[in-house]
Amino acid sequence: MSNILKFLDLFAGAGGLSEGFIRAGFEPVAHVEADASACYTLKTRQAFHWLNKNNKSNIYTDYLNNKITRDELYEAVPQNEINSVINKFIDKETLPEIFQELDNILNNEKIDLIIGGPPCQAYSLIGRARGNMVNDARNHLYIYYAEFLKRYSPKYFVFENVLGLLTAKDPNGHLYFDKMKALFVEIGYTIEYKVLSANEYGVLQNRKRIILVGKKDHLSDDSFYPEPEKWNPEVNVWELFADLPKIQAGGGTPAPQKYVRYKSEWLEKSGIKGKFPLTWHQARPHSEQDLEIYRFAVNLWNGEKRRLHYNDLPSRLKSHKGTDSFVDRFKIVAGDLPATHTVVAHISKDGHHYIHPDIEQNRSITPREAARIQTFPDDYYFENVSGKPARTSAFKQIGNAVPVLLAQKIAEQLLRNWE
């Protein structure tokens, strides 16, 4: 009987939270995710871990180098690894089917831990600012999360979400967070939560998230919260880009590329840089007008350490009528700061909010650079349903993820606290 603690990942996305828990020593029994492209990413990562563990990582390298197909990659590992990824939206109608699939996967095995957080758009301040989220069905996904807790009764659960959850209200003016906590307590869990800022734990990104932890049948007054170990690596954002090939707008490739010679203790210690080649270092093409705006933004930062306000632009470069809202729509990822601003899924729409700090390259950041900000390892490959690389899908998955290193720090401390 294995002593490895097993977890279930709900609303798994591309697997940032899961990857951190795997690194800490936990083992996934299944992932449940609605987005089909993200599910292929999870399957490919499951294949990677199995091959790596069984000294067959050359097969994964062959896949990255297009020597074998995705189907051939999946055929090279036990099918239970691939089938452990369940591509379903979690709601009242799908719950019975998901439970049936999970029960078949588990085969009477116990789940020790459930992790994951429902999609955040309905709770986020930006989402609420852009439209009426009060009646959004995603507000109630925590109820289904609780159904998994009832059925599998894990000792702990870890629930992640945006800060907007603290203030989001239902149509009657009640806080969703209060209703959520009350539900978790009702089914037997003691709740503790904190707002964690990723930049305090070795991540070069200012990203704050609520991390709520529940413990089943906690009978003492002692705190069980897995306070992560803090880490200030004392490097700046340039460290994220220093060993990546220099490319222009529209340049690069999703396929493997070689690193530029550069030694970085942080890149290795954070788990970003490993023995496999990097992928997804491919830049968007940009219009001449956008490229001129990017140069303007970078020069403004380099010369005055000032962010570009949209109204600072010459009139010939202004194409948006609204000059009072989203005035920071063009923003440089400042290389000389200890952390960059938050990467979000909107990066899949355009790159204006994530301008590369090197004026020589003059472009927005690549999926690999965004993934590094999120501390995904360079060997993490972001899939698309069709099997053909899709930059938009990669950006969306990366922007929605939990920073891997933050997840790892939480998981390591939870493991230390485990009785």
Side-chain angles (χ1 to χ4, degrees):
M1 190 71 179
S2 172
N3 291 323
I4 297 176
L5 296 168
K6 307 291 181 70
F7 72 89
L8 166 65
D9 190 0
L10 302 177
F11 311 100
L17 194 59
S18 176
E19 183 73 8
F21 275 79
I22 291 170
R23 280 198 201 170
F26 291 84
E27 183 178 304
V29 292
H31 299 82
V32 184
E33 168 55 35
D35 183 81
S37 293
C39 282
Y40 279 109
T41 297
L42 291 166
K43 290 176 182 180
T44 295
R45 197 61 185 170
Q46 284 291 99
F48 164 83
H49 283 300
W50 189 91
L51 292 168
N52 210 27
K53 197 183 299 182
N54 289 276
N55 299 315
K56 295 183 177 182
S57 56
N58 60 298
I59 297 175
Y60 185 70
T61 304
D62 285 347
Y63 173 62
L64 294 183
N65 284 299
N66 288 318
K67 292 181 180 178
I68 62 172
T69 65
R70 187 165 70 189
D71 286 344
E72 288 171 324
L73 172 70
Y74 293 172
E75 287 166 5
V77 304
Q79 285 311 287
N80 61 298
E81 296 289 333
I82 305 304
N83 295 337
S84 69
V85 177
I86 300 172
N87 181 200
K88 281 189 171 65
F89 184 80
I90 300 173
D91 62 17
K92 186 176 181 180
E93 283 69 37
T94 61
L95 268 182
E97 300 169 33
I98 296 171
F99 286 156
Q100 185 61 59
E101 284 195 53
L102 279 173
D103 290 348
N104 292 338
I105 291 168
L106 288 167
N107 194 22
N108 296 319
E109 204 172 0
K110 180 174 171 51
I111 292 176
D112 301 293
L113 168 72
I114 290 179
I115 65 172
C120 64
Q121 293 91 335
Y123 300 132
S124 73
L125 298 176
I126 293 174
R128 281 185 271 161
R130 287 178 174 166
N132 179 18
M133 291 288 184
V134 172
N135 297 312
D136 194 301
R138 290 171 296 187
N139 285 318
H140 308 288
L141 291 176
Y142 71 90
I143 297 172
Y144 305 124
Y145 192 104
E147 290 300 315
F148 286 88
L149 296 176
K150 288 180 191 176
R151 187 176 184 91
Y152 298 108
S153 195
K155 183 171 183 177
Y156 285 96
F157 73 88
V158 177
F159 183 100
E160 177 270 347
N161 223 284
V162 293
L163 298 191
L165 175 59
L166 296 174
T167 54
K169 294 180 179 179
D170 70 10
N172 296 317
H174 300 126
L175 289 169
Y176 282 110
F177 194 47
D178 287 345
K179 296 166 71 172
M180 185 183 299
K181 288 185 293 180
L183 177 58
F184 293 150
V185 169
E186 181 186 323
I187 60 177
Y189 286 87
T190 303
I191 304 302
E192 294 186 0
Y193 73 94
K194 291 187 179 181
V195 173
L196 300 184
S197 187
N199 66 298
E200 295 184 353
Y201 306 100
V203 181
L204 306 190
Q205 179 185 185
N206 291 314
R207 188 186 193 95
K208 291 186 176 181
R209 288 294 184 268
I210 299 166
I211 305 294
L212 182 149
V213 180
K215 185 179 180 184
K216 184 77 171 176
D217 301 326
H218 183 62
L219 302 177
S220 76
D221 293 327
D222 296 336
S223 173
F224 55 84
Y225 195 83
E227 187 74 55
E229 182 182 352
K230 293 195 174 182
W231 178 28
N232 177 10
E234 298 182 347
V235 295
N236 60 29
V237 172
W238 277 117
E239 201 79 1
L240 287 162
F241 309 132
D243 65 341
L244 298 177
K246 292 189 175 185
I247 58 175
Q248 303 296 312
T253 172
Q257 296 181 57
K258 291 182 179 179
Y259 294 102
V260 173
R261 189 182 295 274
Y262 179 81
K263 179 73 174 174
S264 171
E265 184 180 336
W266 173 77
L267 281 174
E268 293 177 8
K269 191 177 177 183
S270 66
I272 289 175
K273 192 171 182 177
K275 63 180 181 179
F276 292 88
L278 69 100
T279 59
W280 271 118
H281 189 44
Q282 181 191 43
R284 277 187 171 100
H286 297 292
S287 69
E288 284 303 318
Q289 177 172 313
D290 285 342
L291 292 175
E292 190 170 351
I293 293 172
Y294 291 2
R295 282 192 290 270
F296 195 100
V298 175
N299 281 327
L300 190 62
W301 180 263
N302 289 342
E304 303 178 28
K305 291 291 175 278
R306 186 160 65 86
R307 298 286 189 188
L308 173 65
H309 189 287
Y310 190 70
N311 292 324
D312 292 334
L313 288 170
S315 57
R316 63 185 174 79
L317 293 178
K318 293 179 184 176
S319 54
H320 298 275
K321 293 180 180 178
T323 56
D324 297 324
S325 61
F326 301 111
V327 292
D328 66 341
R329 59 171 64 94
F330 293 96
K331 195 167 186 175
I332 178 178
V333 177
D336 51 359
L337 294 180
T340 185
H341 50 288
T342 305
V343 174
V344 297
H346 185 78
I347 194 173
S348 66
K349 306 290 186 186
D350 62 58
H352 301 335
H353 210 58
Y354 304 95
I355 303 168
H356 195 285
D358 182 5
I359 199 167
E360 301 284 321
Q361 298 184 60
N362 192 30
R363 58 176 174 79
S364 59
I365 63 174
T366 66
R368 179 50 55 199
E369 289 161 341
R372 281 186 160 200
I373 293 171
Q374 291 277 56
T375 59
F376 277 101
D378 288 340
D379 54 42
Y380 212 102
Y381 190 77
F382 299 94
E383 294 280 7
N384 185 45
V385 173
S386 69
K388 296 179 180 179
R391 189 174 47 230
T392 298
S393 176
F395 271 132
K396 180 183 175 184
Q397 292 174 52
I398 293 162
N400 280 330
V402 177
V404 173
L405 185 56
L406 175 61
Q408 180 183 345
K409 293 281 187 182
I410 294 166
E412 286 171 347
Q413 190 56 53
L414 182 61
L415 207 51
R416 293 185 195 108
N417 291 359
W418 207 282
E419 295 171 0

